[in-house]
Amino acid sequence: EFLRRLTRSYSERGPPPSELYEDPRNENLLVWIGAPKRGRLIPRDLAGVSPWDSSVQGGDACWEGIRVYRGKILSLEKHLRRLFRSAKALGFENVHSKSEIIEAIFRTLAANGMRDNAHMRLTLTRGEKYTSSMNPKFNVYGTTLIILAEWKPTE
């Protein structure tokens, strides 16, 4: 509650949620964020990455968009192969394991009660740096995984 009070002005910065979200359930989602073995679910209005994260410092990330239909994740293996190939091509080190990512996906979907008409954006960043720089040698904490799952029916 303390953090919610501190961030109230941020959450009240724009139009009311009833005007923003096509599906009102998207207002109170839980988002997965974290380094390997340190990820966690965070309420949407409190979610964020460190200003030291490579995605903030230099846009250093790769991502996949994945749909959920009738209790199944569409082409999950194919999406994960592509995500890992992208991370390898970018030279990411200390990357989340496949099993960590799959567990985080299912925990995120379950926590949000999603089994159909959902879309996930999986973002994998090079991770947090211990100092501001474009040099990847300062990334010592492992990649950052972000899973944004939203209610988005196909049109």
Side-chain angles (χ1 to χ4, degrees), residues 64-68 73-74 76 79 105 118-122:
E64 285 289 319
I66 305 175
R67 299 282 323 178
V68 177
I73 300 172
L74 186 65
L76 179 60
H79 285 290
I105 287 170
H119 177 268
M120 289 181 291
R121 176 71 51 143
L122 268 64

Side-chain angles (χ1 to χ4, degrees), residues 36-107:
K37 298 180 182 38
R38 294 196 337 236
R40 64 213 175 275
L41 287 163
I42 301 170
R44 176 189 185 122
D45 59 344
L46 299 177
V49 295
S50 167
W52 304 104
D53 192 273
S54 290
S55 63
V56 176
Q57 293 285 318
D60 201 2
C62 51
W63 60 270
E64 285 289 319
I66 305 175
R67 299 282 323 178
V68 177
Y69 298 112
R70 294 183 284 286
K72 298 196 186 309
I73 300 172
L74 186 65
S75 303
L76 179 60
E77 290 294 323
K78 185 187 299 184
H79 285 290
L80 291 178
R81 276 195 306 273
R82 194 165 41 227
L83 185 71
F84 282 112
R85 275 197 315 266
S86 296
K88 183 177 180 181
L90 291 168
F92 288 8
E93 295 181 6
N94 194 7
V95 177
H96 292 73
S97 70
K98 180 179 174 183
S99 62
E100 282 180 291
I101 293 176
I102 290 172
E103 180 180 343
I105 287 170
F106 282 101
R107 288 182 64 186

Side-chain angles (χ1 to χ4, degrees), residues 30-34 39-42 104 107-108 145-148:
L30 294 172
V31 176
W32 183 275
I33 300 177
R40 64 213 175 275
L41 287 163
I42 301 170
R107 288 182 64 186
T108 303
L145 175 65
I146 304 164
I147 302 175
L148 303 175

Side-chain angles (χ1 to χ4, degrees), residues 4 7-17 20 45:
R4 287 189 196 283
T7 60
R8 186 165 289 126
S9 64
Y10 175 78
S11 64
E12 295 171 354
R13 70 196 180 282
L20 292 174
D45 59 344

